[in-house]
């Protein structure tokens, strides 16, 4: 693992929880001198204490190791704020209703930043019964393909996973206004407001 918890992170998180060094030490069954050594960089917590330390500080293990506290301010449950994470190893697609600390296959995943659909990534939309049939003329080889197509509106996320050597098409229940997303393994996340 490239990262390990730093003393500055421990101190910042401890102070944010309004804990003294003694109070944190009691939660972890260590001495307050040990906490002081960690915070001043004169020592490091044992690996067996990392999970209990994260729990005592009220953060995830990833947040503790990265030093970045993740706060999801998406309290209104507006699904339009959905963000995507894609694992480059296994292709796992993870939607989240706001910023999150996500990892897959042992890799911390960055939040994907969408660009507007253009050129080879333009979709055709045709109404079929009570759904919309989404198609695009795009390669679907093992090295260049569309991984997923998703519809996001204020109250729903609908995602269809696509696979190489299949067709770049799907059917979605698109109601009201929202965003149509697609993910190209070479060009990243693209979206179109509808």
């Amino acid at each position: 693992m490239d990262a390990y918890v730093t003393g500055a992170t421990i101190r910042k998180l401890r102070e944010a929880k309004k804990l003294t060094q003694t109070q944190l030490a009691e939660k972890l069954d260590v001495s307050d001198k040990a906490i002081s050594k960690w915070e001043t960089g004169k020592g490091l917590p044992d690996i067996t204490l990392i999970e209990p330390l994260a729990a005592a500080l009220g953060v995830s293990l990833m947040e503790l190791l990265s030093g970045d506290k993740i706060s999801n301010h998406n309290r209104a449950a507006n699904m339009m704020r959905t963000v995507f994470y894609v694992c480059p190893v296994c292709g796992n697609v993870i939607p989240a209703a706001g910023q999150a600390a996500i990892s897959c296959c042992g890799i911390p995943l960055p939040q994907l930043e969408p660009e507007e659909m253009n050129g080879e990534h333009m979709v055709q939309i045709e109404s079929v019964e009570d759904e919309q049939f989404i198609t695009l003329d795009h390669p679907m080889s093992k090295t260049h393909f569309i991984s997923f197509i998703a519809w996001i509106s204020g109250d729903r996320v609908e995602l269809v996973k696509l696979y190489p050597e299949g067709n770049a098409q799907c059917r979605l229940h698109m109601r009201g206004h929202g965003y149509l997303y697609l993910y190209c393994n070479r060009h990243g996340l693209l979206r179109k407001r509808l």
Side-chain angles (χ1 to χ4, degrees):
M1 181 172 292
D2 293 338
Y4 199 74
V5 65
T6 65
T9 298
I10 296 171
R11 182 177 180 177
K12 179 177 75 171
L13 293 171
R14 177 183 59 77
E15 289 174 348
K17 283 286 275 189
K18 298 187 179 357
L19 293 172
T20 65
Q21 288 182 344
T22 303
Q23 290 169 324
L24 180 58
E26 288 171 0
K27 288 178 178 272
L28 299 173
D29 199 25
V30 297
S31 72
D32 58 342
K33 289 181 181 166
I35 303 293
S36 177
K37 285 182 180 180
W38 299 345
E39 290 184 359
T40 58
K42 296 178 181 168
L44 293 170
D46 186 77
I47 192 73
T48 60
L49 291 173
I50 297 299
E51 280 191 59
L53 178 60
L57 295 171
V59 297
S60 71
L61 196 55
M62 294 250 331
E63 290 170 303
L64 179 62
L65 293 175
S66 71
D68 296 325
K69 181 145 175 64
I70 304 297
S71 297
N72 185 352
H73 300 290
N74 187 13
R75 302 284 184 233
N78 184 346
M79 298 309 291
M80 296 277 256
R81 295 185 181 137
T82 297
V83 295
F84 292 97
Y85 301 83
V86 175
C87 179
V89 177
C90 70
N92 195 6
V93 178
I94 305 162
Q99 185 183 16
I102 305 285
S103 67
C104 188
C105 297
I107 302 167
L109 303 179
Q111 174 183 321
L112 298 177
E113 296 294 330
E115 294 182 17
E116 293 303 313
M117 285 186 200
N118 59 31
E120 70 179 302
H121 297 102
M122 291 306 290
V123 297
Q124 293 83 43
I125 303 172
E126 177 185 346
S127 290
V128 177
E129 298 170 356
D130 65 338
E131 299 175 313
Q132 277 66 46
F133 185 58
I134 313 297
T135 60
L136 66 154
D137 185 22
H138 190 280
M140 290 296 285
S141 68
K142 289 184 178 182
T143 58
H144 189 195
F145 59 92
I146 299 297
S147 175
F148 70 85
I149 298 175
W151 170 252
I152 298 179
S153 62
D155 65 349
R156 70 187 60 222
V157 173
E158 185 176 359
L159 186 141
V160 176
K161 181 78 170 110
L162 304 176
Y163 297 94
E165 300 179 352
N167 294 319
Q169 63 187 30
C170 71
R171 290 175 90 164
L172 297 170
H173 291 92
M174 297 166 57
R175 303 287 180 264
H177 296 285
Y179 287 98
L180 183 66
Y181 286 85
L182 62 88
Y183 180 76
C184 173
N185 73 318
R186 285 196 185 169
H187 299 101
L189 186 64
L190 302 153
R191 77 174 172 192
K192 180 181 181 82
R193 183 160 177 80
L194 298 171

